[in-house]
Every structure is written in C-alpha cells, then in structure tokens.
Amino acid sequence: MTEPLHVHFEDMGVGEVISLGACMVDPAALDVFVERFSPGWDVSYGAPDAMVYALWSRIFADKAAGWAQSKVLAVDGLRFMRNPPPGELMRGRMTVMGKDPVGDEKGIVIAQHDLLDEAGRLVFSCLTRALLARR
C-alpha cells in the first residue's frame, strides 16, 4: 500500500518558502559524473552545471514524492552561479511565486527554486510550473 499524498494545491501559499533539504557534492560521484557525462571537465573547477542540475532535480523529486503532483510542466530560467567544490553541502528551497486553479480538480503552482552553498551564496536557481491535484 502506498502512502497517501499529503500536499495538494490548496496547501501551498503564495510567498511560502519550503525547504527541499540538502545534498552534498560527493567527491566520488563527481569523478564518475565527469567521466561519464562531462569528459574533459577539470574537477578542480567544482561540479559541472549538469551535475548541479541533477542534484537539484533529485532533492526536488524526493521532496515532491509525497505531493499530489501529477507532473512538472516546465523548468525555466535556469541560472548557474557557481560550481560547488567536492564536499560542498548545498541546501535547497522553493518559494511559491503564484498559483492558478485549473478547473475543479487541478491547479498550477509557479515556484522559484534555489540551491545555496554553506555560506548562503546562490549556486543555482530556476522557475518551475507544476500541476497539483486540488482537494
């Protein structure tokens, strides 16, 4: 039996900031990622942009696993500000920027996502539009 979905469209408020959790740039994972997906990248520069995106995508997917979200419609406005070094711990947050009901059963949540490094500096940010079920 699967766990019931707890977060619906109505449960998120505009302006609300939701923690997505944390992730680390694992040195061994960085080496494997570069070898397979970014040959020629010098790991002394830190994690390549594609790995930063993958780390954000993972913590967002983990957080949203309990949401009544049917799909992410768009990921826009990607900004890569830094390439975090191996061992860097990053924290994710999501800020609800807007909501748009779509009929009686669904709604679109527009949100900004940020990954911040240990010093609180922006590493990555993007905008998403996701479709969630209404209660």
Side-chain angles (χ1 to χ4, degrees):
M1 182 171 168
T2 61
E3 182 178 324
L5 300 173
H6 298 290
V7 178
H8 289 73
F9 176 79
E10 294 83 1
D11 299 327
M12 294 182 183
V14 174
E16 181 178 358
V17 178
I18 299 166
S19 172
L20 298 178
C23 61
M24 184 185 77
V25 179
D26 180 87
L30 175 59
D31 290 339
V32 170
F33 189 93
V34 167
E35 177 188 327
R36 295 201 179 144
F37 301 108
S38 297
W41 177 265
D42 185 345
V43 294
S44 69
Y45 295 145
D49 293 349
M51 184 174 184
V52 171
Y53 180 87
L55 291 168
W56 162 76
S57 182
R58 176 62 190 262
I59 65 170
F60 178 44
D62 288 348
K63 181 68 174 189
W67 296 357
Q69 176 174 289
S70 59
K71 67 172 72 176
V72 175
L73 302 170
V75 180
D76 298 316
L78 281 72
R79 295 184 338 180
F80 296 92
M81 305 302 290
R82 300 185 56 244
N83 296 100
E88 181 84 37
L89 182 67
M90 297 181 294
R91 299 193 187 289
R93 69 180 178 203
M94 177 183 121
T95 304
V96 178
M97 305 299 285
K99 293 172 54 175
D100 189 15
V102 180
D104 293 334
E105 297 179 10
K106 302 176 198 166
I108 296 173
V109 174
I110 302 161
Q112 176 173 327
H113 296 251
D114 300 313
L115 273 182
L116 306 171
D117 66 12
E118 294 173 17
R121 297 173 297 188
L122 185 64
V123 171
F124 167 80
S125 115
C126 67
L127 297 171
T128 61
R129 287 187 294 278
L131 193 62
L132 273 78
R134 295 180 70 184
R135 291 194 189 275

